[in-house]
Amino acid sequence: MKRLQLFGLLNKDMDQIEKELYRSVQGDDELLTETSMHLLKAGGKRLRPVFVLMGGKFGHYDLEKLKRVAVPLELIHSASLVHDDVIDDAELRRGELTVKAKWGNRIAMYTGDYIYAKALVMTTELKNPRIHQILSKAMVEMSIGEMEQIRDFFNSEQSVRHYLRRIRRKTALLIAVSCQLGALAADADAESARLLYNYGYNVGMAFQIRDDLLDLSGTEKQIGKPPGSDMRQGNITLPVIYSLQDARLRAPLLEEIEGIREERLGVGRAIDLILSGDGIRRSEELAARYIAKALASLDQLPSNKTKRSLRDIAFFVTGRAY
Amino acid sequence: MKRLQLFGLLNKDMDQIEKELYRSVQGDDELLTETSMHLLKAGGKRLRPVFVLMGGKFGHYDLEKLKRVAVPLELIHSASLVHDDVIDDAELRRGELTVKAKWGNRIAMYTGDYIYAKALVMTTELKNPRIHQILSKAMVEMSIGEMEQIRDFFNSEQSVRHYLRRIRRKTALLIAVSCQLGALAADADAESARLLYNYGYNVGMAFQIRDDLLDLSGTEKQIGKPPGSDMRQGNITLPVIYSLQDARLRAPLLEEIEGIREERLGVGRAIDLILSGDGIRRSEELAARYIAKALASLDQLPSNKTKRSLRDIAFFVTGRAY
């Protein structure tokens, strides 16, 4: 998975962020450096740092300050991925072996703890208590979201609202906070910070819905791991919930889900059932509604080059190809 | 395991801390509250909060401020215990079922993540970046210590120095920081904060050595879990390292350790071998040397009632009975 391609100078600054990311996990302990680098080098779109830098463009852009927010945000995201992989028994992530698969659960857990803590140390260099507070609150929400996800495994009775609350915590909040903290670290005005937060929140919701869609309709090459991984682990996502609302699909799909839970069945027929209904289309529509809201927040921000890029990213998220 | 008994008012203040500890994990999510409360209610000596309050006595003692350091420190300690129990496959802790044993690895992992994050949110209420920095750095060191411990499992070649570096990170630092942050939160002078840090560091080292000793020479009732747990999981502690330096014990002990690693043997004979040599006595002597250093730091602090209590705690740690 590659980094987003951005306009001119931002690409250069993102190279700096990339270097700083690697530097941040050096030197403490050989094994922790190795596991952390393995995780970071597997790549990713670096969406959160990109949003930080773009948020910074609405204030006094200072890369040195923005780094101290952008790097921690990517680290927190990465740490949550290592812990997720322990939970999900995932072998592959972004087409690479996971830390858990390569080194085992214990080492993956402490790699996550280490990266979380490193992230926090770096934010303390900014001496802005509000930034720490926003970040640590986002971490609380993320862990609640993760817990909700475990508890909701194979729960076929969950509502759309339930699902949305979960992905809000799991994904959208950290993206919202990325946009917001970029603005705050650059001393942008409060209204811009608020609009950027709303933009990030809505893009984040759309992003996670698309991610969940791709797990059902994408290919292994596209998504870097076997399709249907969510279903296999019992993660009931939006297209599944919509499909369960379809009178024709409900009974056979429930049977498939029961079979997957009992490890009697693969996910193939469940996916076919979902693809045969309108769960995918309805999910795409909901994602598009979030994107529309994100664009409405953007409209209220001052016009500049960054605003156009943020619009491009929003569209990229809706139709995103890996 | 019971809280330490302290003089007059401090006991009342510790009741407040206890309430605040429970309150800190309420309300976000039913399951997280349940798992966190299970962990916190299992008790513990609350050593870290006690040290915070005592550190505060060397400045302008303000319980409201001190709470915001004492509670996070106990939470960070508790979170590290839940994660340890995942790693150690531990069934019992303080005589109670562990979160891991009761709810499984996944839930234990996110309970830890949640409690860490809640701890950080609370410290941000203090608006003192230096306190956040000290705390998050201590968390980095703790995770490095944990990783070293995993890597050193069944490593019979490790030196005493190696062991001491590990327990410094795993245990002593957080206790040192507890004393220091109590002083800082109460705006004590820098010299008192430094001396309190040194006191805490040395008491913490002695404390962990005693803990490791008790695992070999204590009873299940005394220590709240089956004796020999460290040996069983491959954690080579100080008395073992000393025993391996004994020409008479080295060969048979290495054989026992190999057998334990291969799960062919129990820990009984290994423990008997260790008890037959002078590893226990030498470890006790080293713990006593740390206590002596702790007392030397204390001597330089202004005389007050708290200083006498800190002295009592140091002696309590050396000869501690649960």
Side-chain angles (χ1 to χ4, degrees):
Chain A
M1 200 178 303
K2 287 243 198 70
R3 226 168 73 190
L4 280 179
Q5 284 309 302
L6 305 162
F7 62 83
L9 282 178
L10 221 43
N11 271 325
K12 255 192 163 166
D13 289 356
M14 281 300 293
D15 289 342
Q16 292 292 315
I17 300 282
E18 195 72 14
K19 269 190 208 150
E20 192 67 36
L21 258 181
Y22 297 159
R23 194 156 36 213
S24 72
V25 296
Q26 301 300 318
D28 290 310
D29 174 274
E30 256 174 62
L31 181 56
L32 279 168
T33 298
E34 195 185 342
T35 55
S36 304
M37 283 299 282
H38 176 83
L39 177 74
L40 295 174
K41 288 236 159 169
K45 288 175 297 305
R46 310 293 189 227
L47 256 191
R48 290 149 196 85
V50 165
F51 282 137
V52 170
L53 297 191
M54 290 190 166
K57 291 282 185 191
F58 291 84
H60 308 286
Y61 187 93
D62 172 348
L63 184 59
E64 283 311 307
K65 276 191 185 171
L66 290 167
K67 248 190 212 168
R68 262 142 202 83
V69 180
V71 171
L73 275 159
E74 187 66 18
L75 289 176
I76 288 170
H77 172 59
S78 300
S80 81
L81 294 184
V82 207
H83 279 186
D84 281 358
D85 291 337
V86 174
I87 299 307
D88 302 347
D89 274 323
E91 293 293 311
L92 290 176
R93 154 97 56 195
R94 297 166 177 167
E96 302 272 350
L97 273 184
T98 59
V99 173
K100 172 230 149 66
K102 212 169 161 188
W103 285 278
N105 273 341
R106 297 169 175 204
I107 286 181
M109 194 176 70
Y110 284 129
T111 298
D113 287 1
Y114 169 72
I115 296 178
Y116 274 129
K118 290 298 276 188
L120 292 160
V121 170
M122 193 175 290
T123 56
T124 62
E125 291 167 12
L126 272 175
K127 318 250 181 265
N128 181 341
R130 191 159 165 229
I131 291 180
H132 312 172
Q133 191 157 44
I134 291 171
L135 258 185
S136 47
K137 282 192 177 163
M139 284 169 65
V140 171
E141 292 296 321
M142 280 169 75
S143 63
I144 298 172
E146 300 286 4
M147 197 66 133
E148 288 172 335
Q149 180 166 315
I150 299 178
R151 198 176 16 197
D152 290 341
F153 277 162
F154 292 108
N155 171 10
S156 324
E157 300 306 319
Q158 61 189 287
S159 62
V160 170
R161 207 173 139 182
H162 202 95
Y163 164 84
L164 294 175
R165 194 179 61 192
R166 192 171 71 223
I167 67 167
R168 173 182 170 276
R169 287 183 155 138
K170 240 195 62 161
T171 307
L173 252 172
L174 200 66
I175 293 183
V177 157
S178 301
C179 298
Q180 179 192 23
L181 290 185
L184 291 181
D187 296 316
D189 62 291
E191 178 62 4
S192 294
R194 190 186 67 79
L195 290 167
L196 283 161
Y197 179 95
N198 289 344
Y199 163 85
Y201 169 76
N202 288 300
V203 163
M205 293 296 283
F207 182 80
Q208 186 61 52
I209 293 173
R210 284 290 302 177
D211 208 48
D212 291 345
L213 273 165
L214 275 172
D215 187 65
L216 292 165
S217 61
T219 63
E220 173 150 0
K221 205 177 157 204
Q222 276 179 315
I223 59 183
K225 57 183 181 178
S229 300
D230 287 337
M231 283 241 84
R232 209 168 290 115
Q233 73 179 78
N235 189 6
I236 307 283
T237 58
L238 188 59
V240 187
I241 297 172
Y242 280 142
S243 302
L244 286 167
Q245 292 175 351
D246 180 331
R248 187 180 59 84
L249 296 177
R250 182 171 174 82
L253 189 50
L254 281 176
E255 249 174 70
E256 291 297 317
I257 292 172
E258 197 48 33
I260 296 166
R261 181 215 282 264
E262 292 167 359
E263 297 179 25
R264 281 187 290 107
L265 298 177
V267 296
R269 218 180 93 78
I271 293 180
D272 287 345
L273 283 169
I274 294 162
L275 297 180
S276 79
D278 64 356
I280 301 286
R281 186 188 51 76
R282 289 177 70 195
S283 303
E284 278 168 351
E285 280 172 12
L286 186 53
R289 286 217 293 283
Y290 279 110
I291 292 297
K293 281 192 206 170
L295 295 174
S297 293
L298 266 191
D299 276 347
Q300 299 171 62
L301 281 163
S303 285
N304 60 25
K305 215 169 161 184
T306 304
K307 185 168 154 174
R308 288 197 297 281
S309 286
L310 287 170
R311 192 187 311 267
D312 291 346
I313 293 179
F315 284 119
F316 167 82
V317 167
T318 352
R320 88 185 149 112
Y322 279 82
Chain B
M1 201 180 302
K2 286 242 199 71
R3 225 169 73 191
L4 280 179
Q5 284 309 303
L6 305 162
F7 62 83
L9 282 177
L10 221 42
N11 270 325
K12 254 193 165 164
D13 289 355
M14 282 300 294
D15 290 342
Q16 291 293 316
I17 300 281
E18 195 71 16
K19 269 191 207 149
E20 192 65 37
L21 257 180
Y22 296 159
R23 193 154 38 211
S24 72
V25 296
Q26 301 300 318
D28 290 308
D29 174 274
E30 255 175 62
L31 181 55
L32 279 169
T33 298
E34 195 184 343
T35 54
S36 304
M37 283 299 283
H38 175 82
L39 177 74
L40 295 174
K41 288 236 162 171
K45 288 174 297 305
R46 309 294 189 225
L47 255 191
R48 290 148 197 85
V50 165
F51 282 136
V52 170
L53 297 190
M54 290 190 167
K57 292 282 184 191
F58 292 85
H60 308 287
Y61 188 94
D62 173 348
L63 183 60
E64 284 310 307
K65 277 192 184 170
L66 290 167
K67 246 190 214 169
R68 264 142 201 83
V69 179
V71 171
L73 275 160
E74 187 65 17
L75 289 176
I76 288 171
H77 171 60
S78 300
S80 82
L81 294 184
V82 207
H83 279 186
D84 282 357
D85 290 338
V86 174
I87 299 307
D88 302 347
D89 275 323
E91 293 294 312
L92 290 177
R93 155 94 59 193
R94 297 166 177 167
E96 301 274 349
L97 273 184
T98 59
V99 173
K100 174 230 149 68
K102 210 168 162 189
W103 285 277
N105 274 341
R106 296 168 175 207
I107 287 181
M109 195 176 70
Y110 284 127
T111 299
D113 287 1
Y114 169 73
I115 296 179
Y116 274 129
K118 290 298 276 189
L120 292 160
V121 170
M122 193 176 288
T123 56
T124 63
E125 290 167 14
L126 272 176
K127 317 252 182 261
N128 180 341
R130 191 158 166 227
I131 290 179
H132 312 172
Q133 192 157 45
I134 290 171
L135 257 185
S136 46
K137 283 192 175 163
M139 283 170 65
V140 171
E141 293 296 321
M142 280 170 74
S143 63
I144 298 172
E146 300 287 5
M147 198 65 134
E148 288 173 333
Q149 180 165 315
I150 298 179
R151 198 175 15 196
D152 291 341
F153 277 162
F154 292 109
N155 170 11
S156 322
E157 299 307 319
Q158 61 189 288
S159 62
V160 170
R161 207 173 141 183
H162 203 96
Y163 164 85
L164 294 175
R165 193 180 61 194
R166 192 171 71 224
I167 67 168
R168 173 181 171 274
R169 287 182 156 138
K170 240 195 62 160
T171 308
L173 253 172
L174 199 66
I175 294 183
V177 157
S178 301
C179 297
Q180 179 192 23
L181 291 185
L184 291 181
D187 296 315
D189 62 290
E191 178 61 7
S192 294
R194 191 186 65 80
L195 289 167
L196 283 161
Y197 178 95
N198 288 345
Y199 163 85
Y201 169 75
N202 287 301
V203 163
M205 293 296 283
F207 181 80
Q208 187 59 53
I209 294 173
R210 284 290 303 179
D211 208 47
D212 292 344
L213 273 166
L214 275 171
D215 187 66
L216 292 165
S217 61
T219 63
E220 172 149 1
K221 204 176 159 203
Q222 276 179 315
I223 61 183
K225 57 184 181 180
S229 300
D230 287 336
M231 283 241 83
R232 208 168 290 113
Q233 71 180 79
N235 189 6
I236 308 284
T237 57
L238 189 60
V240 188
I241 297 172
Y242 281 141
S243 303
L244 286 167
Q245 292 174 351
D246 181 330
R248 187 180 59 83
L249 296 177
R250 182 171 174 81
L253 189 50
L254 280 176
E255 250 175 69
E256 290 298 316
I257 292 173
E258 197 46 34
I260 296 165
R261 181 214 282 263
E262 292 167 0
E263 297 180 25
R264 281 186 291 107
L265 298 177
V267 296
R269 218 181 92 78
I271 294 180
D272 287 345
L273 282 169
I274 294 162
L275 297 180
S276 79
D278 63 357
I280 301 286
R281 187 187 49 76
R282 289 177 70 193
S283 304
E284 278 169 350
E285 280 172 12
L286 187 53
R289 285 217 294 280
Y290 280 109
I291 292 297
K293 282 191 205 170
L295 296 174
S297 294
L298 267 191
D299 276 345
Q300 299 171 61
L301 281 163
S303 285
N304 60 24
K305 213 169 161 184
T306 303
K307 187 167 152 172
R308 287 197 297 282
S309 286
L310 288 171
R311 192 186 311 268
D312 290 347
I313 293 179
F315 284 119
F316 166 82
V317 167
T318 352
R320 87 186 149 112
Y322 279 82

